[in-house]
């Protein structure tokens, strides 16, 4: 019984996945880009840039906090 | 760390929107094609700009009601970050327009309205720079800032809806159903908007804290 449940679950997942990957067909989209997998290169590049900006912001935040603390100790 | 949770949330949400914004499927639309994904990046700029300029206007009202100088700092720095977001929104929109409408700039109500309101805010900074006396500068620029925010809302939200516009979400009453958002797009778009607003607020607080430090050191010396 338990095995049957798992098979059903797997089948449902597959059905969902196949409908998810289906394109509309008429309008040309970048489907081939996904097949070649190269879109992930762009995604990674953008993610790296954003993470870089985040790290920069965090460092700026820390620097400002340090000065704030120093000024507080002086008072 | 405890009071920084919203910064982490903003970072995670934007990172999620960058990754899923490229990978999740989008509805196939003529003309738009894959540029429909710009929605996840171009539109949040305007949402965050409206939020940040709203903060600026609120603090200008606060300044006028209690004359606390800190409110003037917040209002000015918020307007500054708002301009950054506006410039990013305009350039990305121009880029998008070039490849969907066929021109970098179209004489459209929405676009011209945004351009005019950017000029109005530019005048806010010129006004601030032209007054040396601190209290006078804070008071006059607070009054001007409230005026600028009202005009901004009229130019970007009201007038485009009264006219026909190429820009989506204008002409008549735009509900969210008009954005051609399907349920997958919503799962990326809403987190992206919230994430970018949080990041913008973060940058704003950095500017505000720097300005406060500057004033503190100037007073001590």
């Amino acid at each position: 019984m338990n095995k049957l449940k798992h098979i059903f679950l797997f089948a449902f997942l597959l059905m969902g996945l196949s409908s998810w990957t289906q394109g509309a067909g008429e309008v040309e989209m970048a489907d081939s880009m996904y097949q070649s997998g190269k879109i992930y290169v762009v995604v990674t590049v953008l993610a790296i840039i954003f993470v870089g900006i985040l790290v920069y912001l965090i460092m700026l935040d820390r620097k400002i906090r340090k000065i704030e603390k120093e000024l507080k100790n002086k008072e | 760390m405890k009071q920084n949770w919203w910064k982490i949330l903003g970072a995670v949400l934007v990172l999620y929107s960058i990754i899923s914004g490229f990978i999740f499927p989008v509805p196939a639309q003529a003309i738009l094609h894959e540029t429909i994904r710009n929605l996840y990046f171009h539109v949040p700029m305007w949402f965050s700009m409206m939020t940040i300029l709203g903060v600026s206007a609120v603090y200008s009202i606060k300044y006028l009601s209690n004359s606390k100088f800190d409110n003037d700092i917040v209002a000015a720095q918020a307007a500054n970050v708002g301009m950054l977001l506006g410039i990013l929104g305009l350039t990305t929109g121009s880029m998008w327009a070039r490849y969907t409408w066929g021109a970098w700039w179209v004489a459209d109500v929405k676009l011209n309205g945004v351009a005019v309101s950017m000029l109005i805010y530019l005048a806010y900074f010129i006004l601030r720079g032209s007054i040396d006396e601190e209290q006078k500068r804070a008071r006059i620029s607070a009054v001007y800032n409230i005026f600028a925010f009202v005009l901004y809302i009229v130019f970007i939200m009201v007038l485009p809806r009264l006219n026909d516009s190429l820009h989506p979400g204008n002409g008549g009453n735009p509900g969210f159903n008009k954005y051609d958002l399907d349920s997958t797009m919503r799962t990326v778009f809403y987190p992206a908007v919230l994430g970018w607003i949080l990041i913008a607020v973060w940058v704003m607080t950095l500017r505000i804290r720097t300005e406060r430090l500057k004033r503190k050191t100037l007073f001590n010396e």
Side-chain angles (χ1 to χ4, degrees):
Chain A
M1 192 61 200
N2 221 354
K3 215 176 191 178
L4 204 66
K5 232 189 215 167
H6 279 120
I7 290 168
F8 265 117
L9 196 68
F10 187 64
F12 272 122
L13 276 176
L14 267 186
M15 267 156 66
L17 200 69
S18 65
S19 67
W20 192 67
T21 47
Q22 261 169 12
E26 282 179 355
V27 182
E28 191 189 331
M29 303 295 276
D31 294 333
S32 60
M33 256 215 287
Y34 294 106
Q35 281 164 12
S36 69
K38 284 187 183 170
I39 188 68
Y40 295 103
V41 180
V42 186
V43 176
T44 319
V45 166
L46 272 170
I48 289 170
I49 290 176
F50 183 67
V51 169
I53 292 173
L54 280 181
V55 170
Y56 190 83
L57 279 180
I58 291 167
M59 278 160 64
L60 202 58
D61 202 314
R62 281 193 180 162
K63 198 174 174 181
I64 294 171
R65 188 170 306 142
K66 214 174 152 191
I67 302 172
E68 279 171 348
K69 266 185 191 163
E70 275 173 18
L71 268 183
K72 227 179 201 174
N73 291 341
K74 251 189 190 176
E75 275 165 7
Chain B
M1 208 62 188
K2 259 183 193 164
Q3 67 261 50
N4 286 336
W5 62 270
W6 56 276
K7 296 172 187 173
I8 299 164
L9 179 68
V12 169
L13 286 179
V14 173
L15 201 60
Y16 159 77
S17 80
I18 287 174
I19 294 166
S20 53
F22 279 95
I23 291 168
F24 282 11
V26 288
Q29 303 254 1
I31 303 170
L32 274 176
H33 298 275
E34 295 286 352
T35 70
I36 196 170
R37 296 179 195 276
N38 273 352
L39 182 95
Y40 305 140
F41 308 105
H42 164 76
V43 183
M45 294 299 124
W46 297 108
F47 274 77
S48 356
M49 186 198 190
M50 276 190 268
T51 314
I52 294 283
L53 289 183
V55 169
S56 180
V58 165
Y59 275 84
S60 279
I61 295 169
K62 266 187 165 177
Y63 177 80
L64 288 180
S65 68
N66 63 14
S67 293
K68 274 189 184 145
F69 200 78
D70 196 60
N71 292 330
D72 181 61
I73 292 177
V74 176
Q77 299 312 315
N80 200 301
V81 178
M83 279 309 95
L84 169 73
L85 295 165
I87 291 164
L88 290 176
L90 264 187
T91 26
T92 52
S94 184
M95 188 73 198
W96 199 359
R98 172 66 187 82
Y99 294 101
T100 46
W101 301 340
W104 296 106
W105 192 267
V106 190
D108 190 87
V109 229
K110 186 93 163 187
L111 277 66
N112 285 345
V114 165
V116 170
S117 41
M118 295 281 283
L119 291 176
I120 290 170
Y121 271 98
L122 203 66
Y124 169 74
F125 295 107
I126 295 170
L127 179 72
R128 286 189 73 86
S130 64
I131 305 171
D132 283 332
E133 203 188 316
E134 268 185 353
Q135 279 192 333
K136 212 175 179 181
R137 175 175 64 210
R139 204 170 57 240
I140 293 174
S141 63
V143 173
Y144 183 84
N145 192 26
I146 296 163
F147 161 77
F149 185 68
V150 173
L151 277 188
Y152 171 74
I153 292 299
V154 170
F155 275 125
I156 202 173
M157 304 286 283
V158 182
L159 287 182
R161 285 172 196 204
L162 296 175
N163 291 282
D164 281 330
S165 172
L166 272 174
H167 196 284
N170 296 296
N173 185 15
F176 269 101
N177 53 337
K178 271 205 172 177
Y179 279 70
D180 291 320
L181 274 180
D182 68 354
S183 49
T184 325
M185 286 192 82
R186 279 171 213 268
T187 61
V188 183
F189 179 63
Y190 295 143
V193 168
L194 182 63
W196 279 108
I197 288 175
L198 291 174
I199 296 287
V201 172
W202 185 10
V203 175
M204 179 188 79
T205 56
L206 288 178
R207 284 198 70 102
I208 292 166
R209 284 159 67 191
T210 318
E211 199 60 27
R212 279 180 189 152
L213 285 175
K214 193 174 135 196
R215 276 191 63 80
K216 245 186 197 171
T217 45
L218 282 180
F219 266 121
N220 284 354
E221 277 163 13

